[in-house]
Amino acid sequence: MSTETSVPHPRTSAVEGPDMDAFDDALYSALMKQAPAGIAYFDTELRCRRAGEALAGLLGVSGAGLERHTPAQALPEALAAEVEAALREVLAGEGAPLETDLIVSAGADKPADTENPEHAEHAGNAGGGGLAAPLPLGTAGGLGPGDRVLSCLWLPVRAADGAVRGVALTAHDVTERRRAEEIIRRKEQRYRSLVEASSQVVWVTGPDGRPLDDAPEWRAITGQTPEDYAAGGWLAVVHGDDRARVEAIWNECVADERVFETGYRIRTRSGGHRHFDVRAVPIRQGDEVIEWVGANTDVTGQKEAEEMRGRLTEQLSAAALRTARLQQATSMLAEALTVSQVVQVITEVGRSAIGADYSAVALLDDDKLRLSIVTPSPPGGETAPRPATRDDIRVSDQTVMSVAVRESRPFLAQHPDELRLQLGRDEAELFTQHNEERAWVGLPLLAAGAPIGALRFSFTRPREITEEERVFLEALAGQCALAVERALLFEREHKTAEELQRSLLPTALPQLPGMVLAARYNPATRHVQVGGDWYDVFRLPDDRLAVAAGDVMGKGVLAAAGMGRVRNALRALALNDPRPAAVLAGLDRLFSATEDEEQFTTVAYAVIDPETGQGAFSNAGHPPPLLISPDAPARVSTNEPGTPLGWPSQRQQTSFSIETGNTVVFYSDGLVENRRRGVDAGLEELVSVAADAPPEVVGDPERLVDFLVDRMLAGYEQVDDVTVLALHVPPKTV
C-alpha cells in the first residue's frame, strides 16, 4: 500500500485527452458512490472536502453533511476529538499511515457545533446517529446491540512537490468480525479462568501422543526443563509403580482415538509425589485426529483425605472388633471355673483377636520365686498332656514372662534381635517346641496391684504391636487376672466342699461273699458348695444289709446338715426296727419335729438278706430303683414312690428279691434330670442305656456305674450332683 497519495482535481487528469478525462470522472464517481468502503478527503485545516456515500452510510449521516465541514462541526464531540486527533497526527507525521478502530454508536450525541444551518439539518437527518469513541485495537470493551465497528486507515495526501496537502480516509465495517473475535476472546478467558480455578494443568500432544507444545505450568510442578518435557512429556515424571499401567492405557487410547482417563502419581520438583487425575480428548478435523488436549488435576488432598478416612475407618473397625472380642472374652472368662479353663479361653481369644500362634499362662508359687506354666483344658474337660517345657521358670530368669512379672509391665519384642537385645539371650531352651517364634508379648497378671502370674503370646513372624493392640492386650490381661484369681478361689473351695461331701459318705462299702457293691459320687462342677445327695450301706445286727439313697434339696451347709441328720437318724431307727416302712415313718416324725416345712427331702430305703437276695423296700419320693436282669429287659420299679419326708403319709413297704445274676441300682435325680431333659424322659433314657450295657459290664458293678454315669451325662451339662449305688448278685460258682 502506498503511503503517499496525490489527488488532482477530480476533473483534471494527469494524462491529457478527452477519453482519459471521461475515465477519471467515471472512476471518481464510482469510488464515491459505489465503493463498499467509506472514503473521505480532509484538507490541512481538517475540513472534509470529499466524502463517499458509503462512509456517510457507515456514519449514519449524509455526504453533504460531512463535506465542507470540520469534524467538530459535523460529528459528535467525543468522536470529533478522536477524528481530529488522528488527522493532526497524520499531518504532523513523516508520512506514515495510521490505523484506528471506531465504534459507531446508535445513541451518540448531536454535533457540538450546530451554528451552520445546513450542518444542523444534515445532523438532524442522521436520526440521532453518530460516532462513539474509538475502540483501540486489542481492547476488551463490549459492543451494544446497535453499535458498529469501523476499521479506519488514515493516509497522508501529497502534492507533486511532496508537500502534504491533506489526509485520505478509508473505513471498513468490521462489526461482525469484531463480535466474533470478542466471543472467542471471552470463551478463551472463561476457559483459562476455569482451568486456573480448578487447578488443572493443560498439555497438548500431536496425534501420535508425543509432546507438541511446551507446558510451563506442568514443568513448574515437576521441575522438568523444556528439553526434558519435549523428550518425555508428562509421562516422564509418572511414578515408577504407575508408569507401565498409565503408558499402556495412554497408548491404547491414542491408537483407538478414544478418551483417555486415569489417575497416577507424579514426582514433583521437591522430590516428593502428588496424585493427579488426567483426562485427554482427541481434537478432530473432519475424521482425522490433529492433536490431543489433556488436563491434569491435582487430587492429592482428596486422595490423602480418602486414605485418612480409610485408615480411620479401619482403625474404628479394628477397635470395635477388639471391643467385641474383649466383651466376648469377659463373658467366656466369667464361665471358666478352673485355671485350666481360663487358660483355654485366653488361648482362643489371643489367636482370634491378634493372630497369636502360641500362648501360655504361668502362675506364681506361694513364695513368689517361681512361675509354673498352666496347661489349658482341651474340649470335653479331659486332662491335657503337659507341653514339653520346663516345669518352672524362676522369676529372676531373663524370660518374657519373668520380666513382665518382675517389672509389672508389658514386655514387647517384635523381632528376635530385639528379644536378644532386651534379654541378652533367647528362650529356645524353655519352649523348644516353639523354636519358630519370631515376636513375643509378655503381660503381668495383677491382682490388687500385685503380680500373680504372667500371660505370654508369641508369633511365628516378626510382628509390630500397635498402641491400640497394646491397650487391648493390657485389658485382656486384666480380665485374665481376675478370672485366674476367681478360678484359684473356686478350686480351693471346690476341693474343700468335695472333701466335706465325701466325708459324709461311707468311706468303704461292705464286702459280702454273695453280693458285690459299687458306688459313684460325681459332684457338679458348676458350684463349690457341698450338696445334699447321699447314700449309705451298713450291716444290721441280724446280718442283713441296710441300703439307703437320699437327696436333700438345696446346696451348702444347711443341705449338708440336713443330709447328716437324716442319715444318722435312719441308722438309729434301722438299728431299733429295720423294717423300711417303720424307718421311713420314724423319719417322717423326726422331720416334722426338726426340719422346716419348705425343706424337700427324698429317701429310698431297703433291707436285703445277702444270702438269699430277699428283701423289703420303701420309698419316700425318691427316683425308682433300676432293675437289670440278664434274662429280661431292664426296667425301673413301678411301685408307688410315696411322698417326700414329713408329708402326711401312711408308709408302705413292698417285698422284692434280687435273683442270681441280677443288679439293682439306686441313684439320685441328677442322673436322669437336667435343664434339657425332664424326669420322665430321663427314666426312659436310663432304661435304654441299661439295655445297651454289654453282659460283661452288667456283671461288674464297678464298670456298670461308670457306664451309666458316662452315657447318661454325655452331651448334657451337669448341673447337679450325681450319686449311683449298684448291688449285684453274681451267679453261683460251681
Side-chain angles (χ1 to χ4, degrees), residues 630 692-700 703 728:
D692 291 340
E696 62 274 15
V697 172
V698 174
D700 184 349
R703 296 177 63 185
H728 174 67

Side-chain angles (χ1 to χ4, degrees), residues 160-189:
D161 59 1
V164 176
R165 297 294 183 86
V167 179
L169 167 66
T170 61
H172 298 271
D173 189 344
V174 293
T175 304
E176 295 305 319
R177 187 175 70 186
R178 290 292 189 267
R179 289 185 186 276
E181 290 174 353
E182 177 70 8
I183 292 173
I184 293 173
R185 185 189 63 79
R186 289 188 180 276
K187 286 183 177 181
E188 290 177 348
Q189 187 179 38

Side-chain angles (χ1 to χ4, degrees), residues 325-587:
R325 283 173 171 164
L326 186 60
Q327 292 174 342
Q328 180 186 16
T330 302
S331 176
M332 295 170 65
L333 289 171
E335 297 181 0
L337 297 177
T338 66
V339 175
S340 187
Q341 290 172 350
V342 170
V343 175
Q344 180 65 33
V345 171
I346 291 298
T347 299
E348 295 175 1
V349 173
R351 292 181 179 179
S352 63
I354 61 171
D357 297 295
Y358 303 108
S359 62
V361 174
L363 299 181
L364 279 171
D365 58 11
D366 293 338
D367 58 10
K368 308 296 183 183
L369 297 177
R370 290 183 177 275
L371 289 163
S372 298
I373 296 176
V374 181
T375 305
S377 293
E382 301 87 354
T383 301
R386 191 178 185 88
T389 64
R390 283 183 2 192
D391 289 343
D392 298 319
I393 301 173
R394 291 179 301 180
V395 174
S396 59
D397 286 343
Q398 284 297 96
T399 70
V400 171
M401 289 193 286
S402 298
V403 172
V405 168
R406 201 165 57 239
E407 300 182 7
S408 294
R409 64 171 180 83
F411 175 93
L412 304 176
Q414 302 173 131
H415 190 275
D417 293 340
E418 187 176 344
L419 179 72
R420 286 188 287 271
L421 180 64
Q422 295 190 63
L423 299 182
R425 47 164 293 178
D426 56 31
E427 296 186 337
E429 70 275 17
L430 292 176
F431 296 89
T432 55
Q433 78 280 20
H434 299 162
N435 54 15
E436 70 276 24
E437 294 176 340
R438 293 295 179 270
W440 299 262
V441 177
L443 299 153
L445 301 181
L446 305 175
I452 60 173
L455 175 60
R456 181 184 190 272
F457 293 111
S458 59
F459 308 85
T460 57
R461 65 194 183 285
R463 173 74 151 77
E464 179 183 359
I465 302 298
T466 65
E467 183 62 27
E468 293 79 8
E469 289 176 327
R470 175 170 176 161
V471 172
F472 168 78
L473 289 172
E474 290 183 6
L476 181 62
Q479 293 296 321
C480 180
L482 293 175
V484 166
E485 188 178 31
R486 185 175 61 250
L488 290 172
L489 178 61
F490 171 85
E491 289 181 349
R492 288 194 295 267
E493 293 183 351
H494 191 272
K495 183 178 180 181
T496 301
E498 187 174 342
E499 290 175 352
L500 175 60
Q501 179 82 18
R502 294 188 184 280
S503 70
L504 297 175
L505 300 175
T507 56
L509 297 175
Q511 300 295 319
L512 304 173
M515 185 175 291
V516 182
L517 292 85
R520 287 291 181 272
Y521 168 66
N522 272 28
T525 59
R526 303 299 297 177
H527 58 82
V528 299
Q529 295 178 315
V530 63
D533 287 15
W534 61 279
Y535 65 87
D536 200 4
V537 181
F538 57 93
R539 297 292 293 269
L540 295 171
D542 57 4
D543 289 333
R544 287 185 298 170
L545 194 66
V547 179
D551 186 3
V552 178
M553 181 185 68
K555 301 292 180 185
V557 176
L558 292 179
M563 178 189 73
R565 289 193 295 270
V566 172
R567 177 173 175 266
N568 293 335
L570 184 143
R571 282 201 171 206
L573 291 170
L575 293 175
N576 181 54
D577 184 354
R579 291 175 304 152
V583 170
L584 292 188
L587 289 176

Side-chain angles (χ1 to χ4, degrees), residues 10-15 19-29:
R11 297 191 180 276
T12 302
S13 172
V15 181
D19 293 337
M20 186 56 66
D21 290 342
F23 176 80
D24 287 345
D25 290 343
L27 175 61
Y28 178 80
S29 177

